[in-house]
Amino acid sequence: MSELFDAVDALVASRAPLPQAEERKRLRQAHGLTLDDVAAALKVRRATVSGWESVKKTTEPRGPEREAYARLLKQLAELYPAPAAAPAPATFTDQPAPEERTLSTGPAPDAAAMTEHENTQTTPAAAPTEQAAPRPARTARSTSTSRRPRAPKAAPAGTPAGGTDPRFENGPLAVVDVEDGQVLAYCTGGLVLDVPAKSLPSLVDWTLKEAKLGQLKLSGPGKDADPLLVLTEAALERYGLPVALTEEERLAGRIPEGHKVIKQLTRADWKLTKRGFGPWARIYRPATGSERACVQLCIPSWHALDSRHWGNAAQLPPAELARLLGVYASRVMTPRGSTAVTGLELMTALHPPTRASEPDETGKRHSEHNPGSLGKDPVDCAPCEAPDGHPLLKDLPRFHVRGPGEKLFEEAYDWARPLTDAECTLRHLVGIDVNMAFAAGANGLVVGLGAPTHVKAPVFDPKLPGSWLVDLSHVDLSRVKVGKDKWADLDASLLPSPFTPKRERPDGPAWYATPTVAYAVELGYEVRPIEAYVRYENGRYLDGWYNRLRDAFLATMADLGVDADLSPADFLAAMDGYKERDPQLAIVVSAIKATVKGGLGKLRERPRGEGWRPGEPWRALSRPTWRPDIRAAVISRTRINLHRKIVKHAAFTGQYPVAILSDCVVYAADGTSPLDFLPYRDGKPLPGAFKLGIKPGLVKHEGTQSVLWGEEVRERFNAPELNLARYIKDGTVTDVDNGE
């Protein structure tokens, strides 16, 4: 009987009328499909599908292709019904009437709401938490960018109050592609604009004058984000740019200054920044008053989107790439370069160096320092905070190696130890990973804002950020304070030192950041600094940065089905396979994490070629955000936060970590789940110890391997202290450091 039904369906489909050519094209683009996608699915040539959509000379499919094509169009029509008749378009005085088109005003699917633009606000607010739609929203096209489609339903909870700025009503960015000879700009929310520009200079002009792209500033004294254009390979060919960089260009990070497109920009009075025309080019004209004229380019085929952080984003179709980058832009900020660059720019966007003063006697405002920011001028670090090769160290003897008494060395854990006999009798090694560990370390941290002051024999102040030369070798981890008037006896040989990232323990005076010294006091020991570089001008500079990234992370994880209020068992179940629920949003999560780590890494950016020699300044030193002391304080606090949890766990359970790598900790256990060794009672964790959950600072399951696997790997590589945390996720051992 089913065969008869199938035959009837095929007979009906073979005679059913198909939509008009324009409607066929609208349905395909609304679902983010290319001609190649449809051709591959129906096993026909691309030109055949193009003919079915041709307005001038429409061809009709025949035979089984018609049946399949009709089925496709029917399903797409159910997903994207034809919009209601649009009102008459507004009259534009700068364009002839025949060139105008109307823009669909039908209801937009949820994806449009998900990537809605940030609203006007003077303080950092929670990022949108709308549920993500799995496909791009309905497509609409226009050469004169008028009003975008609006969702008729109420905005989801968590959406900021207020309306979208009409200057940026088409979103923060667009992916520029070429299809059937027409240049299209895929914006967030499913909007697609026709692009009339024939050259790159005219594309920049169109972006600034007609595209209505950009993003509102994140703080009162800040600046609106410049529009971002992502150029596909087809767009690069259309505008005379290479699809890929040569090896020489890749190493230089740019195309030659004599390239014809750069000459076109120069003739049109456009300028490039010092880094030239590379994967993240910025094209601008000097600002006149408060008006900025700047467009950012992102070129995925030139490796602008690092696959380590952006996954396969560079290979996505234009509509899907616009959706992915749009979510990141709405929740973090419009990308300004790599995730590291964006992380650093986010700090500045939330705390601009200057603000407008109160009006003077003539009513005129002036630029003045913005309190709580790092200012507009760089400050020198302390000598102990300077990395090797810094100009402050140019008088040191050649090949001199600085020891702990000369150099501040605050780094993340890379620690491991051999298993005990008791641990070898257990069956599994279970790894847990701290969510957004370095972001959590930045939360509420007081950091220096100005230059350091050198002090001899100071009295330690845990509220004063700085670098302290102090001897902590007397701190005995076998007896530590774990609460008010409460001490615990521990096996110090099974614990990492809180003061160094590897197995060695301090054996004399060394430089430490404030959180490390404060922890020694917390453990119940007296400290007497020899000298210090302290910063009396200080504040919680990273709080807004943390809040923005935390909210972006939690909102995106919630869209992937992992909520912040799940029970431990439900949380572990929700985390299982969460990336497959929406691979694009999973990429956004990866990019947010990379923004945290990369932004902090940029605070101590090292020389990047450019003919640099030790003792000479490098480009990053000219930034007020080159602050190695802030990076050291965040890493110090992150490491101390982790050690505090390890000590509480050991004091309560008698269990000690086997290996630690940055924010991943491995324990031996009889079961395969973190619940097999984390001490939960009635669903509640041990106060101050590890807790399962998605919020920054809480932990998730990183991976489980057998104890036999761990011992076999260490024996195979003759490395009894091989850091198993490096390989616990999937058990694949790719490189071995022999525990050094």
Side-chain angles (χ1 to χ4, degrees), residues 705-722:
Q705 304 297 329
S706 68
V707 169
L708 290 177
W709 164 85
E711 291 299 278
E712 188 274 332
V713 167
R714 285 178 164 177
E715 183 177 348
R716 188 197 328 161
F717 294 100
N718 191 27
E721 295 179 5
L722 179 69

Side-chain angles (χ1 to χ4, degrees), residues 515-558:
T516 303
V517 186
Y519 186 57
V521 176
E522 179 184 327
L523 292 175
Y525 292 88
E526 183 182 11
V527 297
R528 295 180 180 179
I530 301 169
E531 59 178 306
Y533 288 91
V534 296
R535 289 170 169 83
Y536 295 109
E537 181 187 356
N538 54 64
R540 293 168 59 159
Y541 174 72
L542 295 173
D543 273 10
W545 183 81
Y546 162 77
N547 290 334
R548 180 92 179 163
L549 291 165
R550 175 204 60 195
D551 293 343
F553 175 71
L554 293 180
T556 311
M557 289 302 296

